[in-house]
Amino acid sequence: PSNRHVSIFSAPAFSMAPEVSPAGATTVSPMPDQETVVLVNTFCAQTVDMLNAVSSTCERKLVDLARRIHGVEGKLEMLEAKLASVPRDDNERDEREVQTPPQVI
């Protein structure tokens, strides 16, 4: 979180109390332009901070997942090597050699 947040109450005071017109209709005076700009800028800054935090969290989790996948791939290669070293009878070996495509390294 950054310290660039501006208090929305630092602008000159204004009143949003309803005014009663001569015809009896209730109206609300518009918000001053400076106050609107402060509110919009604050909203944008807070939204950017939140999106940056979400992005950082997602990136950290993706890096962790990539590391875990890499570890599983290494373990799978070791298991495949161990399995390939297990002796089989001739019929199973012939079938395996026919069905297994060559590995690309």
Side-chain angles (χ1 to χ4, degrees):
S2 69
N3 292 330
R4 57 186 164 158
H5 302 291
V6 177
S7 172
I8 61 172
F9 301 107
S10 62
F14 67 94
S15 173
M16 291 192 61
E19 299 173 1
V20 179
S21 67
T26 304
T27 60
V28 176
S29 59
M31 183 185 258
D33 290 344
Q34 182 180 3
E35 190 74 18
T36 303
V37 169
V38 170
L39 286 173
V40 170
N41 284 342
T42 302
F43 170 77
C44 290
Q46 289 174 348
T47 302
V48 166
D49 289 342
M50 187 253 331
L51 291 173
N52 284 336
V54 168
S55 174
S56 295
T57 300
C58 290
E59 187 173 353
R60 187 178 67 249
K61 288 183 178 188
L62 285 171
V63 167
D64 181 51
L65 182 61
R67 285 185 190 137
R68 290 171 51 198
I69 288 173
H70 185 71
V72 168
E73 287 174 341
K75 290 176 183 177
L76 180 62
E77 288 176 9
M78 287 190 297
L79 287 173
E80 287 174 342
K82 286 181 181 180
L83 183 61
S85 69
V86 173
R88 300 173 185 244
D89 66 14
D90 289 335
N91 292 337
E92 288 181 10
R93 188 174 300 130
D94 291 340
E95 290 174 10
R96 180 176 161 83
E97 289 172 1
V98 170
Q99 293 176 356
T100 304
Q103 291 185 352
V104 178
I105 297 177

